[in-house]
Amino acid sequence: MTMKLIFPLFMFIIFLLYGFQYFEFFEPLGWWQYLIAPLPIMLLVWLLFDTLNLLNLKEKRVGTGVGVMIIVSGLILNIVLDNFIFVN
């Protein structure tokens, strides 16, 4: 079985943003953070996958195991960044 490469890369980007505490930057905005914080992510995904179409990422397919490993590596990086680097 194969999957499109876009989904694991998108999940990897989301986990990295959580690891770098991107969403905590918008906390002072209150409820507006839920509307404003996703806008740069949507712009980034649109630029990377639709407009620039780097390396034909829309058509690339990878095996399910490779896709899962990309997602798990993003999760592991999130945990490492959150627990060891950005410790309060």
Side-chain angles (χ1 to χ4, degrees):
M1 290 184 61
T2 62
M3 67 171 60
K4 288 189 176 184
L5 184 59
I6 291 175
F7 175 71
L9 286 179
F10 178 71
M11 294 301 295
F12 183 81
I13 290 170
I14 293 296
F15 282 133
L16 279 183
L17 288 175
Y18 273 114
F20 283 111
Q21 300 175 351
Y22 166 79
F23 295 102
E24 292 179 10
F25 177 70
F26 295 97
E27 283 183 3
L29 299 175
W31 286 100
W32 285 99
Q33 72 181 350
Y34 300 112
L35 295 174
I36 296 173
L39 291 177
I41 295 171
M42 293 185 328
L43 181 65
L44 175 71
V45 169
W46 176 67
L47 281 173
L48 285 178
F49 299 136
D50 286 341
T51 304
L52 299 176
N53 199 10
L54 297 172
L55 305 172
N56 282 335
L57 287 177
K58 291 172 83 172
E59 288 85 24
K60 296 243 185 209
R61 298 186 75 80
V62 293
T64 305
V66 173
V68 169
M69 290 304 293
I70 292 171
I71 294 171
V72 169
S73 66
L75 181 61
I76 290 170
L77 282 174
N78 177 15
I79 292 169
V80 168
L81 289 172
D82 194 35
N83 291 324
F84 299 114
I85 296 176
F86 295 112
V87 177
N88 292 335

